[in-house]
């Protein structure tokens, strides 16, 4: 569950009205998952490339029924394509 969540609006009212009900692009990522907590950051852009919102969240998660805390590799830096770690 969410421990804390904060939204930072970068767009003014006119930009939000201009974005209207068109599609937006969202990107979210977790930097670390540890001791049943994770931090997350998300960005939302309008279809014309205007950054509308940044959001941060700290969340608590319970261990799964199989004892797994999070997906394999979660919280690790991304691996470039074709690296030895990815091919293993």
């Amino acid at each position: 569950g969410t421990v804390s969540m904060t939204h930072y609006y970068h767009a003014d009212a006119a930009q939000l009205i201009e974005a209207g009900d068109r599609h937006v692009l969202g990107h979210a990522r977790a930097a670390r998952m540890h001791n049943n907590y994770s931090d997350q950051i998300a960005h939302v852009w309008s279809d014309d490339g205007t950054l509308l919102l940044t959001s941060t969240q700290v969340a608590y998660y319970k261990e799964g029924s199989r004892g797994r805390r999070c997906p394999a590799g979660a919280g690790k830096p991304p691996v470039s394509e074709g690296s030895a770690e990815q091919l293993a």
Side-chain angles (χ1 to χ4, degrees):
T2 298
V3 175
S4 71
M5 181 181 285
T6 304
H7 300 300
Y8 303 95
Y9 288 91
H10 303 291
D12 59 23
Q15 291 170 314
L16 293 174
I17 290 169
E18 185 179 331
D21 61 357
R22 297 191 315 260
H23 287 105
V24 295
L25 171 67
H27 178 262
R29 120 177 236 166
R32 181 162 187 199
M33 295 180 172
H34 183 69
N35 288 338
N36 293 63
Y37 286 91
S38 69
D39 70 311
Q40 302 160 355
I41 187 165
H43 299 91
V44 178
W45 288 272
S46 67
D47 63 353
D48 69 359
T50 301
L51 179 61
L52 302 174
L53 175 99
T54 300
S55 179
T56 61
Q57 178 180 10
V58 174
Y60 174 82
Y61 58 92
K62 295 180 184 178
E63 288 188 33
S65 60
R66 297 182 185 183
R68 291 182 57 197
R69 293 184 176 202
C70 59
K76 294 182 180 179
V79 178
S80 61
E81 188 173 333
S83 71
E85 184 178 272
Q86 187 179 36
L87 298 174

